[in-house]
Amino acid sequence: MTKDVKERERVVVRFAGDSGDGMQLVGSRFTDATAVLGNDLATLPDFPAEIRAPAGTLAGVSAFQIHFASRDILTPGDRPNVLVAMNPAALKANLGTLEKGGMLIVNEDSFGDNNLKKAGYERNPLEDGSLDDYQLVRVPMTTLTVRATEGIDGLMSKDAQRCKNLFALGLLSWMYGRPTDVSEEWIERKFAAKPAIKAANLAAFRAGYNFGETAELLGVHYEVKAAPAEPGTYRNVNGTTATALGLIAASVRSGLPLFLSSYPITPASELLHELSRHRRFGVRTMQAEDEIAAASIALGASFGGQLGVTSTSGPGLDLKAETIGLAVALELPLVIVDVQRAGPSTGMPTKTEQADLLMAMYGRHGESPLPVVAASTPAQCFEAAIEAVRIAVRYRTPVILLTDTFLANSSEPWRLPEVSELPEIDPAFATEHNTEGGFWPYKRDERLARPWAIPGTPGLQHRIGGLEKQDLTGNISYDPENHERMTRLRAAKVAKVAEDAPPIHVDRVEGAEVLVLGWGSTYGAIAAAVRRVRRGGGKVDQAHLHLLNPLPRDLGELVRSYRKVIVPELNMGQLVKVVRAEYLVDADSVTKVRGLPFFTAELEEAIRERL
C-alpha cells in the first residue's frame, strides 16, 4: 500500500522498557543511523542504578531519548513526540513525558495481568480510555518477533523473544527513514560468533521494518532532512569518548605517556574502559584497589614524568581529597576527572547533578587551591580535557575536570579537529642545575611554576613529601614566615591561570539588561531557552563559564554591568554563592535537583518571570 510521507523539522523519540529489554542498545543503534543521515542530534540515556531490578517493575525501567533535526539543536528535547513502551511499567514511568497528541507505540503482548499488577495498574490502560489523548498504536511485538524467527536452527524460544527490541528498532527505522544497512552491519559484527542469535536479530529487525511498511496501523512515515553543517569529518561521540580522546590528544601534543589509574564507580568507569582500548597510542590504564590508591598511583606516574590522570565520581572525589592535597604540596601535574552524579553518599548513581562544584573548589584541608575546569557539552569534553592537561602541565598543579552523568552518557555529532590546530603542551622538564652548583626544586618561573625533574636525571635529586617545603630548596620547614610565603605563592600561581584564559564569550542582543550565567552541562538548555525568550521579544544575554577556579578576570565587570544576573544550576545554588561572595552582586538562583537535566521550557519560564 502507498503511504504518505511528511516532512518534519525536528523529532523527539523515547524508547522505554524493562532494563533487560535492550533499550540503550536500540537507542544507540537508532542514533548511529541518524548520524549517518546528517541530522543534528542530542541524546539522553536514562537507566536504573540496579544491575537487574525486578522485571516488569517501575524500578527496572530503562529509557533512551533522542532529539534529531534538520537544524542546529542544543538539547535532547523536553517532551517526546513518540514514546515506544515495551511493557506497562515503561508506559507508567514515561507517559507523563509524552506530549499531548503524541504517538504512543506499545508492545501489547506485554500487557497481561501479571505485568499490569507489577506496574501498579488496576485496569488495562489500553482498554479503559485513559490513553485517548494520544495516538495509540498497539503492536504485538513479541508475537511478531517469534513468528519472524521461526525455523532458525539452534534458537531457543526465550532467545527469540529477547529480539523484540530489534523489532521496535526496525519499526522506528521505517517510520523516520533511517538507513537499514547501518543497523544490519552492526548486527552482523556483534553476533558473528553466534549464527542463530545473529539470524534472529536480523529477522526481527527486518520484520519490524516490513511491519511499518505494510501494516494499516501506520499510514504515514516521516522525513527529517540533514542539518547544515560546517565541512569536515564528523563522528558521533558521547562525553566519555570525547574526554578520552581529549586526554589522548593532550598526551600526544605534550609527548607525555598517558597513565590513568581509576577505581570503578558509576558513571566514571566508562572512561577507564574507553582508555583501556587505546594501547596503540601508548595509553596505560590500571584498575586500583580503591579510590585512594587510584589517586596516589596517578600522582606517582606524574612524579615519574608521565601524564597522570585519575577518574571518579562524587563519593570517590571525597576519598581522593588527601592525595589531591599532596599533589598541591608537591606541585606536580595531575588531572582528576570528576563525572558528577546525584548525591549525597551513593545517592542516585545513574542520575545527573552539578553538586560537586564547591567540593572541587574548597573540599580539601588547609589552604589548597587548584584550578577547576568544566565541560559544557558532550563534544566539548574533548577541548575541556586538553585544557585541563595544559593547565596542569604548565602550572605544575593538580586540576579537577568536572563533567557529569548527562554529559558522559549523552551524545552529539563532533567535527574532528586538525591535529595542527590543537594546542602544543610543553612539559619543559628540568635537565640541568638552576642555581650555582645545584638544583632548587622550588625555584619558580614567571608563572610561579616550579621545575619538573624526572627521577634519575643526573644532578637533580630532590626531596618530595607532604610536609611544608622551604622556599627554593624544598627542604622540610616549620618556619612560620616560610609557611605563609609558600601558601601565598601556591595561591598566586593558581590565580595566574586566569591570565591565560580568553575573555568570556557573551551572546548579546542590543538593549539586554538581564544575563543568564551558566556552567557545565546546563549550556544546551540555557542556550535553547534564551533563543525562545528572544523569539518572544525578550531581551536577554547569555554567558557560560568553563574556568571556574580561578574565575575569569572579566567576570566581575561583566556581572556588575547587568540589572539582573540569573544563574541556573543542577544543585542548590553553588556557583551563585561564589558570584555573590566574590562580586557582591545579588545574582538570582534557578535550581533543580531531580537527577534530570534542565528542560528548555523550565528555563524559558524562569527567565520570563525574572524579565
Side-chain angles (χ1 to χ4, degrees), residues 419-475:
V419 174
S420 59
E421 297 174 356
L422 301 178
E424 289 189 10
I425 302 172
D426 183 7
F429 290 120
T431 57
E432 57 188 19
H433 291 172
N434 59 5
T435 189
E436 186 175 346
F439 174 64
W440 282 351
Y442 283 86
K443 183 179 181 181
R444 302 174 186 276
D445 63 14
E446 69 279 3
R447 293 184 294 271
L448 301 181
R450 80 172 185 89
W452 187 6
I454 298 177
T457 304
L460 303 190
Q461 296 91 336
H462 61 284
R463 180 183 289 110
I464 66 167
L467 293 173
E468 183 61 280
K469 309 295 186 296
Q470 185 182 57
D471 189 20
L472 301 175
T473 69
N475 295 330

Side-chain angles (χ1 to χ4, degrees), residues 22-241:
M23 294 297 96
Q24 303 306 314
L25 183 149
V26 165
S28 298
R29 296 302 97 220
F30 192 85
T31 299
D32 285 353
T34 298
V36 167
L37 283 181
N39 297 135
D40 197 15
L41 63 89
T43 67
L44 175 61
D46 183 12
F47 46 86
E50 289 74 18
I51 293 174
R52 191 68 172 91
T57 64
L58 295 179
V61 173
S62 176
F64 188 103
Q65 184 164 307
I66 174 172
H67 181 192
F68 57 102
S70 58
R71 59 171 174 79
D72 172 48
I73 57 173
L74 298 164
T75 74
D78 288 2
R79 289 187 172 275
N81 312 116
V82 180
L83 172 62
V84 180
M86 302 298 288
N87 64 10
L91 175 64
K92 191 165 193 176
N94 290 277
L95 184 62
T97 67
L98 183 63
E99 67 176 6
K100 293 297 182 183
M103 182 173 289
L104 174 59
I105 302 173
V106 300
N107 175 21
E108 64 176 347
D109 288 336
S110 67
F111 280 72
D113 292 341
N114 190 38
N115 279 344
L116 289 168
K117 184 177 180 180
K118 287 181 182 179
Y121 281 112
E122 296 181 0
R123 297 182 300 276
N124 189 340
L126 306 185
E127 310 286 354
D128 65 5
S130 61
L131 303 177
D132 289 349
D133 290 338
Y134 308 96
Q135 303 174 53
L136 177 61
V137 180
R138 300 170 58 166
V139 183
M141 295 186 195
T142 307
T143 298
L144 294 173
T145 299
V146 171
R147 187 179 301 166
T149 57
E150 287 177 353
I152 297 177
D153 291 338
L155 185 70
M156 305 290 289
S157 175
K158 180 177 67 174
D159 293 331
Q161 294 182 37
R162 290 179 62 185
C163 298
K164 61 183 179 291
N165 62 330
L166 271 297
F167 183 98
L169 176 61
L171 176 58
L172 269 291
S173 296
W174 173 83
M175 281 184 62
Y176 292 103
R178 305 297 93 178
T180 59
D181 57 335
V182 176
S183 297
E184 290 185 354
E185 288 171 6
W186 178 85
I187 294 170
E188 294 272 4
R189 293 193 307 270
K190 176 71 174 177
F191 302 106
K194 300 177 180 179
I197 301 298
K198 178 181 72 174
N201 279 288
L202 284 170
F205 175 75
R206 291 164 180 164
Y209 192 94
N210 293 333
F211 179 85
E213 199 165 50
T214 59
E216 296 183 4
L217 290 171
L218 298 165
V220 62
H221 67 136
Y222 304 93
E223 179 184 14
V224 181
K225 292 183 178 179
E230 185 180 349
T233 302
Y234 288 79
R235 62 168 291 183
N236 192 46
V237 293
N238 62 22
T240 296
T241 302

Side-chain angles (χ1 to χ4, degrees), residues 371-439:
V372 179
V373 176
S376 57
T377 72
Q380 202 273 329
C381 287
F382 176 82
E383 298 172 13
I386 294 176
E387 180 64 3
V389 173
R390 187 193 69 81
I391 293 172
V393 171
R394 188 172 192 185
Y395 290 89
R396 313 300 199 230
T397 177
V399 175
I400 293 178
L401 170 58
L402 294 175
T403 70
D404 59 33
T405 305
F406 172 61
L407 293 180
N409 295 332
S410 300
S411 59
E412 64 180 352
W414 172 58
R415 180 175 175 268
L416 273 63
E418 295 292 335
V419 174
S420 59
E421 297 174 356
L422 301 178
E424 289 189 10
I425 302 172
D426 183 7
F429 290 120
T431 57
E432 57 188 19
H433 291 172
N434 59 5
T435 189
E436 186 175 346
F439 174 64

Side-chain angles (χ1 to χ4, degrees), residues 298-317:
L299 182 56
S302 292
F303 176 62
Q306 300 192 26
L307 175 54
V309 182
T310 186
S311 59
T312 190
S313 192
L317 190 61

Side-chain angles (χ1 to χ4, degrees), residues 321 324-331 360-371 397-398 444 466 468 483-494 549 582:
I324 296 172
L326 175 60
V328 170
L330 296 182
E331 300 189 52
M361 295 176 73
Y362 308 118
R364 291 162 299 283
H365 65 283
E367 294 288 345
S368 50
L370 53 74
T397 177
R444 302 174 186 276
E468 183 61 280
H483 174 56
E484 178 156 357
R485 174 172 173 74
M486 292 296 282
T487 299
R488 294 188 181 279
L489 279 171
R490 289 188 291 261
K493 179 182 70 172
V494 172
N549 195 50
E582 291 289 330

